[in-house]
Amino acid sequence: MLRNNHGLLAALLIFVPLCSCDTTVCDIPNKNERFDCHPDAPATSTNCQSRGCCWQSGTPSKEQSESDVRRVINVPYCFYPKDYPTYNVTAWKETDYGYTASLARSTPSSWPNDVKALTLDIWFETAQRLHFKIYDPNTKRYEVPIRTPPVPHQKARNPEYIVKYRASPFGITVTRRTNGAILFDTMIDSAPLIFADQFIQISSQLSTHLLYGIGGRKSTLLHNASSWQQFAMWARDQAPQFNTNLYGSHPFYINIERDGLSHGVFLLNSNAMDVDIQPMPAVTFRTIGGILDFYVFTGPSTTSVVQQYTEVIGRPQMPPYWALGFHLCRYNYGSVQKLKLVIERNRKLKIPYEVQWNDIDYMDKHLDWTYDKVAYAGLPNVVKDIHNYGQKYVIIVDPGISTDYPGKYKPYDEGLKSGIFVRNATGQPLIGRVWPGSTVFPDFTHPGAAEWWYQQMKDFHDVLPFDGLWTDMNEPSNFVDGSTVGCTPGRLDRPPYVPGIAENVLQAKTICPSAQQYLSSHYNLHNMYGLTEVQATQSGLHKLLGKRSLVVSRSSFPSLGHFGSHWSGDISSTWEDLYYSIPAILEYQFYGIPMVGADICGFQHDTTEELCVRWMQLGAFYPFMRNHNDDTSKDQDPAAFSASARQIMKTALELRYWLLPYFYTRFHYSHLTGAPVVQPLFSHYPHDKNTFPIDKQFMWGSELLISPVLDQGQTEVRAYFPADLWYDIYSGVRLTGVGSLVTIKAPLEKINVHVRGGSILPLQSPNVTTTQSRKNPFEILVAFNASGLAFGSLFWDDGESLDTFESGKYDFIEFNARKGSVISKVVKMGYHPASGLYLNNVYIFGVSQAPKSATVNGKMAIVHYNPQTQVLQINGFSVDLLNMISIKWQ
């Protein structure tokens, strides 16, 4: 019997004989090829060898605690021999859809309840997507209940991958047909497949050390597999920090191959897990439940990998146009008077300002679907004023429902009556503690939960007409471990293995894994709790409002982007967290969640004026832009700062609002194809190896390069410019990139933004809200490439109706430019705004000679030309974008 780190008796292990006396099976001189046989710390020579594994001792760093050793991994002291017992193929058959195979093991592993017989099914689903499952054919096991494409009955034609297998010991390889690159390869003698009831492990070689994804946690964008790293996944209420499981679980990665091509791998499993990477390079998935359900995506570009991934988990939703504006919030305005003061002082300065939020302080005793009629007396009138000004209003809701007012609190009374709360092991509603005190937790997998949730939001919307909902604390968070009476001593609450998560127990800061939900145990569904809440919330808002809305969730799981959005949680007001917000936002693009942001100026602690200015500048290029801070920090809304800082922030916001038609068009492409809206540089320059580690710059689409200041006192930026043509967005000054770092000036009032040659951006004059800016005329910015060509497009609809693309209620316009002309073409005309769609201004970058004249649809227009910057501006006209437009100069 083993005793875990908390002194609790662990499950009985089935020991295998000691290592064979044949020491050659332990002769693995390349330490990077040793796979951990004792991931549960602490390992000793005795218990290592009792597992039939090899031992070579070392000394952990004295600076690491025992729990740190779990999460900060290195060469294992206890590792698998080359002949460790595993599965053999007993039957292999080609099928119409791919292959099926039977696997069996005769010798037990060191983990209890081995599944002795397994089935492997392989589907050639599309030419770019391979799908395979390894599962127990005799006993039904839990599988993740998200919607994925149905498996085909016939193989895809001309697949871009080749599948091979080894019978003894079992192994499978998936390689790229064109170049033989490894996409997935388990044929590693010292990394056996293990499939026990609560311990499942499989390892694969990687193509190179260039690895991205496996989230989410605070880290750089590149997970360099030339070092040992562990990623633990178990959703947790945890302010972002290194080497710790955070709010979400995303067992998906992108691997760059030697020639710059990309592929992706996704394990559809929602149980607690570790993902280890090691410098072989190799990856190990280690989960404590479910099955092995893998997808392999061939890309070959990073963008196409994400597109193929979102084809499986669901395309991102199309946000309402207003959601792309500037959002303002803080925890604890304290009173309705302070809330009104903040609103008015930012309006007075004509700050572009779209959405006002309220955190939990607006509630009565922290009860969902209530508001404090003392501190926030008159709040409905404030919301009415917000709407009259053309703004929107979003409120927070937490999943914890108070039990302290039975018979007097409708959400609890009706939920109890409907039986939709999560139950403990005895079948009673599990009681925890969160903000309102004693609480129960809705089971959003219950068939009646969505209707119950909708009814609560409808009743409250009649009182306080919100426009979107913020689903916080939905890991779910719990202020006691498990429940107010603890958890059971059973196998779900005390599994034989716990991944390398914070505190090393599953129930820490959440509810008992043994808790029962409608679809399965919380042990299986925990990582999906936030997703299921978002699904119910989005469904309820669509039903309530009849139009697109905004749902922003802290917890996340694959397919969240199909239903809602995400922010990066309780970050701090530090320059470090300013930087780490960039890799966080880029990483979530890979997960099919493009509408993502970070708390601008930081959530925890006081910001400084310089930090907040730089953060507002960077935040102007977050897909989701919200300034938010905690209850003890000083105000950080734009109007709270000096006149000079306010003006800089206002300028950054006006730049964002000017670009909103372009941003919105990128979101349309994301909704349609799954492509990210912002991307790392390597997505567009995969053959430039210098771009692989860059995460202090990023791109919007393929058109804009953002190079922010990320350090205190900095007035210059060392920015990398890939070999291409680039133009400063403010001046049009040209910079020819040669694949090197360039020092560019970055005074406090400027964030560097460059337009890539070959781009055409649709723009619109900014205003204080999108309600107003959408009535303004359009502009376009043309930036010629070295061949004198440029292309762009505009997607436009009413900004809020559901399924406008699917129903054809939109306009789509293409722009093409060559030296001397810009032509527009109306591809689709299904929306006719009352104010019309008019173009009245064109900027053209890269015009080498001064034109004598210009015409728009044959009529003379006004020409402005700057010979120093080679920028041409044409205005003095107004033409309908819903007709073909021809602009010429000579």
Side-chain angles (χ1 to χ4, degrees):
M1 307 290 278
L2 297 178
R3 196 166 290 273
N4 70 15
N5 294 334
H6 291 258
L8 298 169
L9 207 56
L12 180 67
L13 301 184
I14 301 173
F15 296 125
V16 298
L18 296 177
C19 265
S20 162
C21 293
D22 181 4
T23 58
T24 60
V25 298
C26 291
D27 183 16
I28 305 176
N30 185 346
K31 295 180 180 181
N32 294 332
E33 297 179 5
R34 297 177 181 178
F35 288 79
D36 196 352
C37 180
H38 207 302
D40 44 331
T44 66
S45 173
T46 300
N47 58 30
C48 173
Q49 292 178 2
S50 72
R51 294 184 178 191
C53 291
C54 307
W55 177 261
Q56 187 173 88
S57 63
T59 304
S61 167
K62 294 180 181 179
E63 299 175 358
Q64 294 176 5
S65 68
E66 186 175 282
S67 60
D68 285 336
V69 175
R70 293 287 315 280
R71 301 195 299 271
V72 183
I73 63 172
N74 208 312
V75 178
Y77 311 152
C78 181
F79 54 94
Y80 290 103
K82 297 175 185 176
D83 65 348
Y84 190 88
T86 184
Y87 293 86
N88 296 319
V89 176
T90 59
W92 182 277
K93 178 183 177 183
E94 185 170 5
T95 65
D96 290 340
Y97 55 79
Y99 298 103
T100 188
S102 298
L103 314 178
R105 70 179 306 141
S106 56
T107 305
S109 73
S110 58
W111 297 95
N113 302 316
D114 282 296
V115 179
K116 298 292 183 65
L118 296 171
T119 293
L120 165 68
D121 285 329
I122 303 175
W123 295 274
F124 290 36
E125 290 196 340
T126 72
Q128 296 81 31
R129 183 176 80 232
L130 180 76
H131 180 195
F132 67 90
K133 282 186 182 184
I134 300 175
Y135 60 95
D136 183 347
N138 301 311
T139 302
K140 178 66 177 174
R141 294 176 61 85
Y142 164 78
E143 297 187 33
V144 178
I146 67 170
R147 182 177 297 177
T148 56
V151 294
H153 299 296
Q154 297 290 327
K155 290 181 185 177
R157 294 183 178 181
N158 304 315
E160 296 178 0
Y161 43 82
I162 296 172
V163 177
K164 295 181 180 179
Y165 80 99
R166 181 178 65 187
S168 181
F170 164 71
I172 183 175
T173 63
V174 185
T175 55
R176 188 180 297 280
R177 183 176 295 276
T178 56
N179 62 8
I182 294 171
L183 306 182
F184 199 83
D185 181 3
T186 72
M187 292 189 192
I188 309 170
D189 291 341
S190 55
L193 168 66
I194 297 175
F195 201 120
D197 183 36
Q198 290 181 276
F199 187 93
I200 304 172
Q201 179 173 287
I202 191 170
S203 301
S204 169
Q205 293 190 65
L206 294 168
S207 184
T208 70
H209 67 278
L210 299 168
L211 196 67
Y212 305 86
I214 320 177
R217 70 172 188 176
K218 181 178 179 177
S219 71
T220 58
L221 184 64
L222 172 62
H223 306 314
N224 192 329
S226 61
S227 64
W228 297 76
Q229 299 176 59
Q230 183 175 89
F231 302 80
M233 298 184 194
W234 182 249
R236 175 179 169 85
D237 177 357
Q238 171 72 59
Q241 57 183 257
F242 300 108
N243 302 318
T244 299
N245 51 305
L246 300 180
Y247 313 109
S249 175
H250 294 274
F252 166 74
Y253 68 74
I254 296 172
N255 195 196
I256 308 296
E257 299 160 24
R258 294 185 186 279
D259 56 3
L261 302 185
S262 297
H263 67 267
V265 173
F266 172 43
L267 172 58
L268 181 53
N269 182 293
S270 63
N271 290 89
M273 75 171 73
D274 295 323
V275 181
D276 292 356
I277 60 175
Q278 63 192 77
M280 185 177 181
V283 60
T284 296
F285 292 90
R286 187 183 302 116
T287 183
I288 62 172
I291 66 169
L292 294 175
D293 190 356
F294 278 100
Y295 292 84
V296 179
F297 310 102
T298 64
S301 69
T302 303
T303 298
S304 57
V305 169
V306 176
Q307 290 174 316
Q308 292 153 19
Y309 177 50
T310 57
E311 193 173 30
V312 170
I313 64 169
R315 298 293 197 212
Q317 64 168 356
M318 185 69 182
Y321 195 88
W322 59 261
L324 303 187
F326 174 54
H327 302 240
L328 186 59
C329 184
R330 75 161 297 148
Y331 174 23
N332 197 16
Y333 283 109
S335 69
V336 77
Q337 289 77 19
K338 179 60 180 291
L339 175 63
K340 289 164 67 175
L341 172 66
V342 170
I343 293 171
E344 288 302 324
R345 71 189 185 193
N346 285 278
R347 286 181 182 174
K348 184 178 180 180
L349 295 170
K350 302 295 183 183
I351 300 288
Y353 167 27
E354 199 70 28
V355 190
Q356 180 60 51
W357 292 48
N358 269 127
D359 208 322
I360 59 172
D361 51 290
Y362 81 91
M363 299 177 182
D364 180 20
K365 304 181 188 69
H366 294 148
L367 301 174
D368 275 354
W369 314 116
T370 69
Y371 78 93
D372 186 337
K373 294 181 173 61
V374 178
Y376 283 87
L379 183 57
N381 290 329
V382 175
V383 176
K384 182 178 180 181
D385 175 68
I386 287 170
H387 289 152
N388 288 341
Y389 193 75
Q391 295 172 300
K392 304 295 182 181
Y393 181 61
V394 172
I395 58 171
I396 192 171
V397 287
D398 292 339
I401 300 297
S402 175
T403 67
D404 291 339
Y405 308 94
K408 298 179 182 179
Y409 183 45
K410 188 177 177 182
Y412 173 69
D413 296 336
E414 292 189 349
L416 192 64
K417 182 179 179 181
S418 300
I420 54 84
F421 295 127
V422 174
R423 294 171 290 113
N424 62 21
T426 65
Q428 300 302 309
L430 181 144
I431 309 295
R433 294 192 68 82
V434 201
W435 294 113
S438 178
T439 56
V440 287
F441 299 86
D443 172 10
F444 290 103
T445 72
H446 190 286
E451 179 60 28
W452 165 82
W453 194 237
Y454 161 73
Q455 195 59 53
Q456 309 317 310
M457 71 173 71
K458 178 182 183 301
D459 291 349
F460 192 55
H461 189 269
D462 291 342
V463 176
L464 199 69
F466 50 85
D467 301 287
L469 290 171
W470 171 17
T471 57
D472 193 15
M473 305 288 286
N474 58 347
E475 292 74 32
S477 177
N478 190 359
F479 293 169
V480 297
D481 290 351
S483 78
T484 55
V485 295
C487 299
T488 74
R491 54 187 287 276
L492 298 184
D493 294 321
R494 304 289 187 267
Y497 177 76
V498 176
I501 61 176
E503 299 188 58
N504 296 322
V505 290
L506 297 178
Q507 61 266 34
K509 298 183 71 173
T510 190
I511 64 178
C512 298
S514 60
Q516 293 301 303
Q517 298 186 232
Y518 180 81
L519 287 183
S520 188
S521 64
H522 193 72
Y523 180 90
N524 291 325
L525 293 168
H526 171 82
N527 281 332
M528 295 186 64
Y529 189 89
L531 169 64
T532 59
E533 184 191 24
V534 168
Q535 290 172 325
T537 303
Q538 187 226 44
S539 172
L541 284 170
H542 284 181
K543 185 177 178 181
L544 176 64
L545 303 176
K547 54 188 176 183
R548 277 175 272 163
S549 185
L550 180 68
V551 181
V552 180
S553 173
R554 191 167 72 178
S555 187
S556 63
F557 187 77
S559 80
L560 180 91
H562 187 63
F563 304 97
S565 359
H566 174 67
W567 97 105
S568 63
D570 297 343
I571 59 174
S572 295
S573 297
T574 63
W575 292 92
E576 176 186 275
D577 277 2
L578 171 67
Y579 154 56
Y580 278 105
S581 72
I582 298 175
I585 285 165
L586 292 174
E587 186 172 287
Y588 273 83
Q589 303 297 312
F590 298 155
Y591 305 148
I593 310 174
M595 189 64 170
V596 62
D599 283 344
I600 291 168
C601 304
F603 175 72
Q604 300 186 85
H605 315 302
D606 287 340
T607 190
T608 65
E609 184 164 285
E610 182 191 3
L611 175 60
C612 201
V613 163
R614 291 303 194 188
W615 214 320
M616 285 288 290
Q617 291 172 332
L618 172 59
F621 292 91
Y622 290 166
F624 167 52
M625 184 186 187
R626 184 184 69 164
N627 179 318
H628 177 51
N629 64 330
D630 69 11
D631 59 332
T632 60
S633 302
K634 65 183 183 182
D635 289 349
Q636 60 185 39
D637 58 284
F641 294 97
S642 69
S644 60
R646 294 196 301 258
Q647 185 55 51
I648 296 170
M649 293 179 184
K650 181 179 179 181
T651 299
L653 286 165
E654 287 174 340
L655 176 60
R656 179 183 180 88
Y657 275 60
W658 187 52
L659 288 163
L660 283 187
Y662 164 71
F663 287 178
Y664 193 62
T665 300
R666 295 313 315 172
F667 269 101
H668 161 69
Y669 281 117
S670 181
H671 173 63
L672 184 63
T673 71
V677 296
V678 297
Q679 297 185 349
L681 275 68
F682 71 77
S683 291
H684 298 290
Y685 299 94
H687 300 295
D688 183 346
K689 295 180 180 180
N690 295 322
T691 64
F692 294 147
I694 292 176
D695 58 9
K696 293 186 176 181
Q697 297 171 263
F698 60 97
M699 298 187 69
W700 259 92
S702 61
E703 292 85 4
L704 294 179
L705 175 61
I706 319 301
S707 306
V709 167
L710 300 173
D711 295 300
Q712 185 176 3
Q714 188 177 1
T715 56
E716 293 180 335
V717 172
R718 291 279 288 166
Y720 187 81
F721 286 87
D724 218 323
L725 204 56
W726 303 95
Y727 299 88
D728 180 278
I729 197 170
Y730 309 101
S731 67
V733 170
R734 181 167 52 190
L735 186 155
T736 301
V738 294
S740 62
L741 286 167
V742 177
T743 300
I744 51 179
K745 294 186 182 302
L748 186 61
E749 64 271 15
K750 180 180 182 181
I751 179 172
N752 277 282
V753 181
H754 288 80
V755 185
R756 185 186 190 187
S759 307
I760 299 180
L761 308 180
L763 311 165
Q764 198 168 39
S765 299
N767 210 312
V768 292
T769 67
T770 59
T771 301
Q772 296 301 317
S773 67
R774 282 177 59 90
K775 299 174 184 177
N776 290 340
F778 285 84
E779 306 172 346
I780 57 173
L781 189 159
V782 179
F784 283 125
N785 63 17
S787 301
L789 303 173
F791 173 80
S793 57
L794 170 66
F795 173 86
W796 202 249
D797 60 10
D798 67 6
E800 62 180 11
S801 292
L802 296 168
D803 302 324
T804 56
F805 175 77
E806 291 78 4
S807 61
K809 297 177 181 178
Y810 68 95
D811 301 323
F812 191 78
I813 300 159
E814 291 181 346
F815 303 98
N816 283 278
R818 61 181 61 247
K819 290 184 177 180
S821 70
V822 181
I823 305 295
S824 77
K825 177 184 177 182
V826 181
V827 177
K828 171 68 177 181
M829 184 168 56
Y831 170 60
H832 301 272
S835 58
L837 266 67
Y838 293 96
L839 178 72
N840 73 354
N841 196 15
V842 180
Y843 301 94
I844 306 162
F845 293 173
V847 178
S848 57
Q849 294 183 335
K852 296 179 180 179
S853 63
T855 61
V856 179
N857 289 349
K859 296 182 180 181
M860 297 299 294
I862 298 172
V863 172
H864 308 270
Y865 181 72
N866 186 324
Q868 282 73 42
T869 61
Q870 298 189 344
V871 172
L872 171 64
Q873 182 181 4
I874 302 174
N875 55 24
F877 66 90
S878 180
V879 290
D880 188 352
L881 276 165
L882 295 181
N883 292 313
M884 179 180 171
I885 299 171
S886 174
I887 302 169
K888 296 182 178 180
W889 62 94
Q890 60 183 6

